Amino acid sequence: MIQIQTFTFNPFQENTYLIWDETKEAVIVDPGCYDQSEEQQLKSFIESNELKVMKIVNTHCHLDHVFGNKYCQDTFGVKLYIPKGEVETLASGKDSCARYGIPGFVESFADELLENEGTLTFGESSMEILYVPGHSPGHLVFYSKEEDFALGGDVLFKGSIGRTDLPGGDHQTLLDNIANVMYKLPNQTRVYPGHGPFTTIGDEKRSNPFVRG
């Protein structure tokens, strides 16, 4: 059974997810830890639960989702996996921070590129990779059919959707992919988003003001 721990980090209140199974092998998804206290919070949880981090994964590479990439690479000695369509987005992180007036951004570089389909594996578990661009050009979602949940990044929120006014965003593409990819998942599927509380596919199909099922 996959366990999920949520940490809310950085000035953008981004959700960082730590997932692991009974083997204690773990994956850090979208490490947004920005300062030393947030880094220590993540590290302490991993150590106290005797988890072994196997990889770091980004759903997409906007700056609030990658603040902690380099720290996690160095601290846990594992590879960083990013979507193949997010290379330019990751490279623009330093400039993005300058525009927002955020100091201290530490650049990171991908070790491996994720294809737009396939599986994310760790321990005895696997999650399907879904390609859901629109918020960003290469955005991926990680979906566990067996356990009815998806790590959704900034695609679909409780009562809202990801913004599309950043470089590489496209509003209609996002709407189409929510309808044709996310809403094809079972209604009971829990969606853990990049910001805010979790929701379910069924709830959003019934009440999301941007995309109705």
Side-chain angles (χ1 to χ4, degrees):
M1 182 176 180
I2 298 175
Q3 304 291 318
I4 306 170
Q5 177 67 29
T6 308
F7 304 87
T8 302
F9 288 148
N10 70 56
F12 297 93
Q13 294 292 284
E14 178 265 355
N15 290 333
T16 293
Y17 293 102
L18 181 68
I19 57 174
W20 70 96
D21 67 11
E22 58 274 10
T23 69
K24 297 282 191 174
E25 291 190 0
V27 177
I28 303 171
V29 181
D30 290 346
C33 39
Y34 176 68
D35 57 28
Q36 288 186 351
S37 65
E38 292 178 346
E39 292 168 351
Q40 187 58 47
Q41 184 182 349
L42 177 62
K43 184 171 182 282
S44 294
F45 184 92
I46 289 168
E47 291 178 343
S48 63
N49 286 276
E50 300 180 335
L51 302 178
K52 182 180 181 181
V53 177
M54 304 304 294
K55 59 187 70 172
I56 307 151
V57 176
N58 293 152
T59 59
H60 66 295
C61 293
H62 285 151
L63 61 91
D64 51 328
H65 291 253
V66 305
F67 280 131
N69 277 356
K70 186 65 163 61
Y71 168 78
C72 290
Q73 284 176 293
D74 292 346
T75 301
F76 303 108
V78 295
K79 291 182 177 181
L80 169 64
Y81 295 73
I82 75 167
K84 69 177 185 179
E86 292 290 301
V87 173
E88 291 185 8
T89 307
L90 182 62
S92 70
K94 190 172 183 179
D95 290 339
S96 296
C97 277
R99 287 197 298 273
Y100 282 102
I102 298 174
F105 182 77
V106 179
E107 289 186 286
S108 59
F109 300 92
D111 298 295
E112 302 282 350
L113 300 181
L114 294 169
E115 296 295 326
N116 293 338
E117 59 183 12
T119 56
L120 172 69
T121 61
F122 59 99
E124 296 179 352
S125 302
S126 65
M127 301 181 70
E128 183 181 355
I129 295 174
L130 306 177
Y131 179 49
V132 196
H135 172 69
S136 66
H139 200 299
L140 300 178
V141 167
F142 305 110
Y143 167 59
S144 171
K145 180 178 181 179
E146 293 75 14
E147 304 195 30
D148 275 331
F149 78 89
L151 301 178
D154 287 358
V155 172
L156 184 65
F157 301 125
K158 186 176 181 65
S160 190
I161 61 173
R163 61 187 293 182
T164 55
D165 59 337
L166 299 172
D170 184 271
H171 188 70
Q172 191 59 51
T173 297
L174 180 61
L175 297 181
D176 290 345
N177 279 308
I178 290 173
N180 297 323
V181 180
M182 297 301 290
Y183 283 4
K184 300 301 182 185
L185 300 177
N187 285 341
Q188 71 271 16
T189 301
R190 290 163 289 142
V191 179
Y192 292 92
H195 305 269
F198 81 88
T199 185
T200 69
I201 294 296
D203 284 347
E204 297 313 308
K205 287 166 72 173
R206 285 188 294 271
S207 63
N208 191 293
F210 296 93
V211 189
R212 292 293 177 92

